[in-house]
């Protein structure tokens, strides 16, 4: 019985992991949110913003204008814009969902690709 419960739990985790790796999962999630009149997702982005990133990385975070920063799975996060505002000239916001690969301001390029396919 314990083994069966453990296997069921592992299958549930594996299934959800596979789901979140598909663009359709995110497209449907955001489409459903929009149907419920939720239009601002920026604050729900796992609580990650530049301030929290700076707290975690401390002195290791040394942004310079000549850097190119790639934000994987950026979704609709404002983090790429925040990094650009801190002085990085070129930031790439990559996401696999066409719904989330939105227009970005100058200095932040939106790239719709699956990070797992990068070499």
């Amino acid at each position: 019985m314990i083994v069966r419960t453990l296997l069921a739990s592992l299958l549930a985790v594996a299934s959800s992991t596979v789901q979140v790796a598909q663009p359709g999962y995110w497209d449907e999630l955001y489409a459903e949110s929009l149907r419920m009149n939720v239009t601002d997702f920026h604050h729900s982005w796992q609580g990650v913003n530049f301030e929290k990133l700076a707290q975690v990385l401390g002195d290791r975070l040394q942004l310079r204008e000549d850097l190119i920063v790639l934000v994987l799975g950026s979704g609709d996060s404002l983090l790429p814009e925040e990094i650009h505002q801190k002085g990085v000239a070129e930031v790439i916001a990559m996401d696999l969902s066409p719904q989330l690969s939105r227009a970005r301001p100058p200095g932040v390029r939106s790239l719709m690709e699956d990070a797992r396919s990068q070499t």
Side-chain angles (χ1 to χ4, degrees):
M1 182 66 164
I2 293 174
V3 171
R4 192 177 303 172
T5 304
L6 180 59
L7 284 175
S9 297
L10 288 173
L11 284 173
V13 169
S15 173
S16 65
T17 301
V18 169
Q19 286 177 351
V20 299
Q22 303 301 316
Y25 171 85
W26 296 103
D27 294 344
E28 180 56 33
L29 177 73
Y30 281 84
E32 180 62 28
S33 298
L34 291 172
R35 285 191 286 275
M36 298 173 63
N37 293 322
V38 176
T39 57
D40 181 9
F41 305 100
H42 304 285
H43 299 293
S44 65
W45 200 75
Q46 307 296 320
V48 177
N49 59 23
F50 186 82
E51 182 182 328
K52 293 218 174 162
L53 186 65
Q55 287 174 357
V56 171
L57 296 177
D59 293 339
R60 293 178 300 248
L61 182 62
Q62 297 178 10
L63 299 179
R64 300 183 319 267
E65 185 178 357
D66 63 326
L67 291 177
I68 298 173
V69 174
L70 173 63
V71 181
L72 299 173
S74 61
D76 63 349
S77 167
L78 291 176
L79 182 60
E81 281 88 341
E82 290 179 297
I83 292 170
H84 177 65
Q85 290 168 357
K86 297 294 182 183
V88 175
E90 186 177 357
V91 180
I92 302 168
M94 180 190 281
D95 201 275
L96 56 79
S97 170
Q99 294 272 351
L100 301 181
S101 296
R102 63 182 175 79
R104 301 277 184 169
V108 179
R109 183 165 47 112
S110 186
L111 182 62
M112 189 185 75
E113 286 192 34
D114 188 338
R116 297 169 299 169
S117 68
Q118 303 300 306
T119 56

